[in-house]
């Protein structure tokens, strides 16, 4: 619980100071270049997947439809935090307005929730494709794909509104520094001087449900998938079926692991530095891994790129 000793004149602050990553001065430029390259490669890689899927007639299946939407999401997910992180590294901290801080928190949370939902939808797509191959085109027709996609985006933008309203009602005074490189929930709560007991309990259970329920659904889907794969008589058929799932499994493990460690487990003061490192992993590194993993593991995308480059004069 944050300190409750607000002065009588305490009110919403006009701006916060993002303290950044506490990098040694002699290493600032090095890390700035590294994370700038990561951000640029993230934008380029995910944009390339979106363009490739949109332009290729051979990538019209639901799997690539969801992958294209997932890559589009990763562009915005990374953009919601990368600019403030780069600014913090270069200037050894960065100021952000109160409204801007809340908007960054809101959009980052929206994109994080949408990503949880999309990964779950992608697992369901693989489940229907492998467990019900004869009915796959009926179960996952274009109308159903659009319905699943719109539900994920709508839910992602709607669910964080209660948390945003609760944050707007908090009071801040005195020390306005946030020990982070973007406006995440835990550092914001620590900076508040009013009672935060209710919002902390609410966000803990909210995060637990939003993270654990999709994760359990994904695990259940892959339990059925593995059972179906083991029943395939030919080794080549089993390998082909598993190869369509391995990329998704890799992304799920790198994304849900850090998020569950931060948001679905009780917080302690000693875990804040670890939380910053994990936040860096899922906000900067994971969006870059998406195009890398799918490029290395997906033969159809590599083939589409090869044909595109061959047509280029």
């Amino acid at each position: 619980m944050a300190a409750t000793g607000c002065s009588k004149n305490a009110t919403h602050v006009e701006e916060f100071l993002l303290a950044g990553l506490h990098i040694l001065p002699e290493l600032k430029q090095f890390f700035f270049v590294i994370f700038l390259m990561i951000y640029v490669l993230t934008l380029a890689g995910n944009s390339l997947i979106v363009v490739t899927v949109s332009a290729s007639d051979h990538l019209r299946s639901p799997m690539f439809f969801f992958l294209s939407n997932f890559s589009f999401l990763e562009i915005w997910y990374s953009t919601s935090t990368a600019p403030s992180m780069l600014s913090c590294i270069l200037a050894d901290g960065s100021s952000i307005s109160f409204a801007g801080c809340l908007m960054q928190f809101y959009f980052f949370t929206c994109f994080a929730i949408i990503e949880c939902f999309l990964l779950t939808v992608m697992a369901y797509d693989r489940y229907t494709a492998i467990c019900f191959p004869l009915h796959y085109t009926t179960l996952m027709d274009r109308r159903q794909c659009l319905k699943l996609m719109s539900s994920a985006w709508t839910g992602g933008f709607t669910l964080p509104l209660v948390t945003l309203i609760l944050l707007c009602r908090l009071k801040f005074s005195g020390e306005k520094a946030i020990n982070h490189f973007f406006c995440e929930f835990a550092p914001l709560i620590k900076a508040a001087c009013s009672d935060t007991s209710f919002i902390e309990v609410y966000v803990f259970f909210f995060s637990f449900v939003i993270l654990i329920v999709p994760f359990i659904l994904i695990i259940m889907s892959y339990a059925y998938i593995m059972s179906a794969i083991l029943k395939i008589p030919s080794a080549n058929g089993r390998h082909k079926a598993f190869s369509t799932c391995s990329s998704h499994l890799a992304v799920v493990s790198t994304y849900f692991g850090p998020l569950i460690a931060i948001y679905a487990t009780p917080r302690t003061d000693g875990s804040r530095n670890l939380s910053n490192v994990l936040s860096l992993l899922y906000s900067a590194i994971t969006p870059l891994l998406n195009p890398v993993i799918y490029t290395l593991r997906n033969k159809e995308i590599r083939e589409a790129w090869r044909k595109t480059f061959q047509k280029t004069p």
Side-chain angles (χ1 to χ4, degrees):
M1 182 176 68
T4 57
C6 288
S7 64
K8 293 182 179 179
N9 296 325
T11 183
H12 295 307
V13 297
E14 294 184 1
E15 67 177 22
F16 289 108
L17 174 65
L18 296 174
L21 296 171
H22 306 293
I23 297 173
L24 294 174
E26 56 269 23
L27 296 177
K28 284 197 303 181
Q29 293 183 348
F30 171 76
F31 279 101
F32 176 80
V33 172
I34 292 297
F35 286 112
L36 178 62
M37 290 178 59
I38 289 174
Y39 179 50
V40 171
L41 290 174
T42 298
L43 296 183
N46 284 288
S47 297
L48 186 58
I49 289 180
V50 173
V51 172
T52 301
V53 173
S54 301
S56 177
D57 294 330
H58 302 287
L59 303 178
R60 299 298 184 187
S61 68
M63 180 178 70
F64 293 108
F65 170 76
F66 293 131
L67 175 58
S68 176
N69 277 269
F70 186 74
S71 295
F72 178 75
L73 171 66
E74 292 285 59
I75 294 171
W76 293 104
Y77 179 72
S78 178
T79 301
S80 66
T81 60
S84 65
M85 177 182 63
L86 293 171
S87 178
C88 285
I89 294 174
L90 196 61
D92 198 21
S94 176
S95 62
I96 183 171
S97 67
F98 178 77
C101 187
L102 290 186
M103 285 299 98
Q104 184 183 51
F105 164 80
Y106 171 71
F107 282 110
F108 173 79
T109 305
C110 289
F111 297 140
I113 292 174
I114 295 170
E115 185 150 343
C116 291
F117 291 166
L118 286 188
L119 288 171
T120 307
V121 168
M122 293 168 78
Y124 174 72
D125 171 65
R126 292 299 82 207
Y127 164 73
T128 54
I130 294 174
C131 297
F132 304 98
L134 298 179
H135 304 284
Y136 178 63
T137 54
T138 302
L139 293 172
M140 297 299 292
D141 58 11
R142 183 166 182 81
R143 182 179 178 181
Q144 177 69 0
C145 291
L146 291 174
K147 185 186 299 184
L148 290 170
M149 192 58 53
S150 60
S151 297
W153 283 84
T154 302
F157 280 108
T158 304
L159 291 174
L161 288 174
V162 174
T163 306
L164 180 64
I165 293 171
L166 292 174
L167 282 174
C168 289
R169 298 177 64 182
L170 294 179
K171 294 181 179 180
F172 300 85
S173 67
E175 179 59 51
K176 295 178 289 186
I178 294 180
N179 184 27
H180 215 302
F181 58 88
F182 72 99
C183 292
E184 199 176 28
F185 177 75
L188 267 174
I189 288 298
K190 188 179 180 182
C193 67
S194 53
D195 188 1
T196 60
S197 300
F198 176 76
I199 187 174
E200 288 190 81
V201 172
Y202 170 79
V203 169
F204 174 76
F205 283 103
F206 173 79
S207 302
F208 187 87
V209 172
I210 292 296
L211 289 171
I212 299 301
V213 171
F215 186 69
I216 290 175
L217 290 175
I218 292 173
I219 296 300
M220 290 176 59
S221 296
Y222 275 104
Y224 285 109
I225 288 171
M226 293 304 299
S227 177
I229 289 177
L230 292 176
K231 294 178 182 178
I232 299 176
S234 67
N236 184 55
R238 290 193 298 270
H239 179 268
K240 184 177 180 181
F242 183 75
S243 65
T244 64
C245 304
S246 57
S247 301
H248 180 256
L249 273 174
V251 173
V252 166
S253 61
T254 57
Y255 181 72
F256 274 94
L259 277 178
I260 290 175
I262 293 176
Y263 292 104
T265 56
R267 297 184 182 89
T268 61
D269 291 336
S271 65
R272 294 191 186 278
N273 290 332
L274 176 60
S275 295
N276 288 0
V277 175
L278 293 175
S279 297
L280 186 64
L281 175 62
Y282 70 73
S283 64
I285 307 302
T286 301
L288 174 63
L289 293 179
N290 172 43
V292 173
I293 291 173
Y294 277 103
T295 300
L296 294 177
R297 299 293 302 174
N298 199 287
K299 182 179 179 181
E300 289 90 341
I301 289 182
R302 296 199 304 271
E303 184 67 18
W305 285 356
R306 185 185 64 82
K307 292 180 179 180
T308 300
F309 292 141
Q310 285 180 348
K311 293 179 181 179
T312 304

